[in-house]
Amino acid sequence: MRQYAFRPAEALAEYPEKSQPAPAPQIPEGALVIADQGVFAAGGIVLESDGTFDPVNGQHDPTGQTRTSWMTTPDGRDGWNDIFLCKGYSTYLVDQPRRGDAGQTSTAQEISTVTQDQAWFTQFRLGRWPEFNEGSQFPQDEASIDQFFRQMTPDTSAFDQTVIADALVAAFEKSGPGILVTHSQGGMPGWEIGARSDKVEAVVAIEPGSVPFPASMNPDEITYGYQIPYEEFAALIEKPIIIYMGDYIPAEPSDLNAENFWTMVLAGSRQFAEVAGSMGGDITVVHLPDEGITGNSHFLFQELNNEEIAGHLYAWLTEKGLG
Amino acid sequence: MRQYAFRPAEALAEYPEKSQPAPAPQIPEGALVIADQGVFAAGGIVLESDGTFDPVNGQHDPTGQTRTSWMTTPDGRDGWNDIFLCKGYSTYLVDQPRRGDAGQTSTAQEISTVTQDQAWFTQFRLGRWPEFNEGSQFPQDEASIDQFFRQMTPDTSAFDQTVIADALVAAFEKSGPGILVTHSQGGMPGWEIGARSDKVEAVVAIEPGSVPFPASMNPDEITYGYQIPYEEFAALIEKPIIIYMGDYIPAEPSDLNAENFWTMVLAGSRQFAEVAGSMGGDITVVHLPDEGITGNSHFLFQELNNEEIAGHLYAWLTEKGLG
């Protein structure tokens, strides 16, 4: 989905005389004036499986979220789509191939019907089901939790990084230059897209599932991540990159593998920044608690302080000449 | 997805003096001014199956379109969402349960990978693959045809009218009173929603898959359709209803069952209007060629004259006090 923002600055360009007060921006011809927009789920049922959820060994099948994630928050406030439209950015929201409205596929897989909200609750660091982490920024009323889990939809076919990257490189050819914002599993195709598309001006990775390193490195030295061809790595780090990581990432090993995973991602991200930096790259890793922004889960762009975090990103983009 | 339109009339209500010229509408506080919006597909591949397509006996597996259908046209012009937003309506676009971004399900089915664009081309009355019908309003360049078929996405589970109707009744509880617009397979749940929800003010059915009749009728007298409880039928026809049917619906039996199907739907729709009318209902069946609007397929709201047809519907809505 694409939405082109109206930029007041453009409309005002026809009034260059500094001596005159700038008029209030008028509605440009052909523009849509939208009082409000968003998305919600309605209806459906909630099923419970027998047994007791085990947070330590809890497993989950592949499933994920869609462009819906950017269009609202669990409690129905403005999502990052609206927040960045208001800052004057045009936006393109993506359903990746084999998921959601882009579910058509030539290589189908079985659709999972496993009940797994409790596993995701833990994996996403909302807390240890049914308890939220102390100080959590996630809206904790029942309706919000219900809306959040209904944002998930199963993959119609296996996750394939190349298929996704091919589609996004093609999407950038249609959109023109832009900033690529990825989340979670989308992080890995994101690195490939950043390397391959000359239309990508910067990469913003929110808690990426993994981080890349050049094939030239000794694999034993890699804390966490995967290796890609040197040329691909070099092409990627020509662009400014920022990685955001939330709260509740344990410094010491936890009894929850779901939590330890994020400790690895954070360490890997810092090493990625270091390696890329030594090659001239401009990589910033933001561990939000270090900035005094606490209480965030894996879905930091949807939580109660999502506007504050958007502001943090906007400041970085502005610094990079992309404001 | 929901978008609340900004109505200039409301903003102007504070200037009641007729003697003063109405000022140009200002951008209301908090509103989004969108220069343009839409949706497109990018990337992916096209696979061909062996053999020769048989239009007479061609079959297709269940699959369908999503809210995407309302957000654009195959050639990227404004979809009905934008057209009706511009007329001052707020819009709610739906992915029905078990499809697209609402694909999460507890009763999965196998995902079809059958290549079937040629079958749909015929079923939707675009023409007889690869020839378009003469005078077709469908944009016929390759890119448009490609975009159109990429709007389809498979069901993750079996079509279940009650599940869909339950979800939409719940959605209307959230949205408040509104006009229900259905298309194709969505027509059947649409009749149920119209009967069950007191928030539905009118039903607009674009080429519905079938039409309802009261259980009290002699089934042998039904041309085409299905029976529902008398009370449900009576509740449905309390609301004004309009059915739109496009062109290329044969008056005489065709060698294509795909075409004969629509002959039955048109006949059934007319009988539905007659039966409901005899019970005091206000049902309009618009066979577009009878109005001088020719060349439309099953996707009449996406074709080159989609704005003209939207205007036709808008005139009807205005007549019913819903303008």
Side-chain angles (χ1 to χ4, degrees), chain A residues 3 32 34 36-37 95 101, chain B residues 3 32 34 37 95 101:
Chain A
Q3 293 192 305
L32 286 169
I34 306 290
D36 191 20
Q37 65 179 8
D95 271 5
D101 287 353
Chain B
Q3 293 192 305
L32 285 169
I34 306 290
Q37 64 179 9
D95 271 4
D101 287 353

Side-chain angles (χ1 to χ4, degrees), chain A residues 1-4 6 32-38 47 67 71 95 100-101 103-104 106 147 149 153 174, chain B residues 1-4 6 32-38 47 67 71 95 100-101 103-104 106 147 149 153 174:
Chain A
M1 203 189 84
R2 62 173 171 77
Q3 293 192 305
Y4 299 129
F6 159 67
L32 286 169
V33 184
I34 306 290
D36 191 20
Q37 65 179 8
L47 293 182
R67 61 186 178 197
M71 296 165 77
D95 271 5
D101 287 353
Q104 200 169 193
S106 57
Q147 284 291 317
F149 282 117
T153 200
K174 289 203 177 199
Chain B
M1 204 189 82
R2 62 173 171 78
Q3 293 192 305
Y4 300 128
F6 159 66
L32 285 169
V33 184
I34 306 290
D36 191 19
Q37 64 179 9
L47 292 183
R67 62 186 178 196
M71 295 165 76
D95 271 4
D101 287 353
Q104 199 170 194
S106 58
Q147 284 291 318
F149 282 117
T153 199
K174 288 201 178 201

Side-chain angles (χ1 to χ4, degrees), chain A residues 3-8 34-37 78-91 307 314, chain B residues 28-34:
Chain A
Q3 293 192 305
Y4 299 129
F6 159 67
R7 294 181 181 76
I34 306 290
D36 191 20
Q37 65 179 8
D78 278 355
W80 270 25
N81 183 52
D82 295 319
I83 292 172
F84 281 94
L85 279 168
C86 287
K87 293 184 192 297
Y89 290 92
S90 297
T91 59
E307 204 157 340
Y314 183 62
Chain B
E29 203 177 336
L32 285 169
V33 184
I34 306 290

Side-chain angles (χ1 to χ4, degrees), chain B:
Chain B
M1 204 189 82
R2 62 173 171 78
Q3 293 192 305
Y4 300 128
F6 159 66
R7 293 182 180 78
E10 285 175 13
L12 294 176
E14 56 187 287
Y15 302 94
E17 296 83 11
K18 284 261 165 60
S19 60
Q20 290 186 13
Q26 297 290 313
I27 301 169
E29 203 177 336
L32 285 169
V33 184
I34 306 290
D36 191 19
Q37 64 179 9
V39 69
F40 62 82
I45 55 170
V46 176
L47 292 183
E48 268 184 58
S49 300
D50 287 337
T52 304
F53 173 65
D54 174 1
V56 177
N57 301 303
Q59 294 294 319
H60 47 76
D61 282 351
T63 184
Q65 298 207 342
T66 67
R67 62 186 178 196
T68 297
S69 316
W70 307 100
M71 295 165 76
T72 189
T73 64
D75 52 338
R77 290 170 300 107
D78 278 355
W80 270 25
N81 183 51
D82 295 321
I83 291 172
F84 281 94
L85 279 169
C86 286
K87 291 185 192 297
Y89 291 91
S90 297
T91 58
Y92 289 73
L93 305 184
V94 176
D95 271 4
Q96 71 189 28
R98 306 180 176 180
R99 188 181 295 171
D101 287 353
Q104 199 170 194
T105 176
S106 58
T107 59
Q109 74 180 5
E110 213 176 311
I111 298 291
S112 167
T113 57
V114 176
T115 55
Q116 49 191 3
D117 291 356
Q118 295 167 331
W120 288 121
F121 188 94
T122 311
Q123 182 69 47
F124 294 157
R125 305 195 319 281
L126 272 55
R128 200 172 288 213
W129 180 275
E131 295 301 322
F132 275 90
N133 282 323
E134 207 185 315
S136 172
Q137 295 276 4
F138 198 96
Q140 294 175 33
D141 58 294
E142 257 182 60
S144 295
I145 300 165
D146 185 74
Q147 284 291 318
F148 176 73
F149 282 117
R150 285 170 196 278
Q151 289 180 11
M152 304 195 87
T153 199
D155 287 346
T156 55
S157 182
F159 179 88
D160 185 319
Q161 181 177 311
T162 308
V163 167
I164 296 168
D166 285 351
L168 268 288
V169 168
F172 267 101
E173 286 304 309
K174 288 201 178 201
S175 72
I179 300 148
L180 175 63
V181 182
T182 70
H183 177 236
S184 196
Q185 188 193 46
M188 285 86 85
W191 305 128
E192 183 177 338
I193 300 154
R196 284 173 51 190
S197 174
D198 60 6
K199 301 293 189 298
V200 174
E201 297 175 313
V203 180
V204 179
I206 299 171
E207 299 213 347
S210 193
V211 284
F213 291 94
S216 54
M217 254 181 92
N218 178 351
D220 295 339
E221 287 175 9
I222 296 174
T223 316
Y224 174 73
Y226 60 101
Q227 291 182 289
I228 61 175
Y230 181 87
E231 296 69 25
E232 193 178 324
F233 189 84
L236 169 64
I237 65 167
E238 276 176 16
K239 293 143 193 195
I241 293 170
I242 191 164
I243 297 177
Y244 278 95
M245 300 295 296
D247 206 343
Y248 312 115
I249 298 174
E252 301 297 321
S254 155
D255 63 326
L256 291 192
N257 281 331
E259 287 183 354
N260 291 327
F261 172 73
W262 298 112
T263 306
M264 290 196 308
V265 173
L266 179 55
S269 296
R270 284 174 168 154
Q271 190 181 15
F272 164 62
E274 202 180 306
V275 171
S278 74
M279 290 169 61
D282 172 12
I283 316 311
T284 305
V285 177
V286 179
H287 183 211
L288 288 175
D290 297 343
E291 311 275 309
I293 300 173
T294 60
N296 287 107
S297 76
H298 185 49
F299 280 81
L300 52 95
F301 59 99
Q302 290 201 354
E303 293 180 296
L304 294 171
N305 59 345
N306 68 331
E307 203 156 341
E308 181 185 6
I309 301 171
H312 190 285
L313 172 56
Y314 182 62
W316 181 84
L317 289 169
T318 305
E319 194 189 306
K320 302 303 170 193
L322 299 167

Side-chain angles (χ1 to χ4, degrees), chain A residues 164-188:
Chain A
I164 296 168
D166 285 351
L168 268 288
V169 168
F172 267 99
E173 286 305 309
K174 289 203 177 199
S175 72
I179 300 148
L180 175 64
V181 182
T182 70
H183 178 235
S184 195
Q185 188 193 47
M188 285 87 84

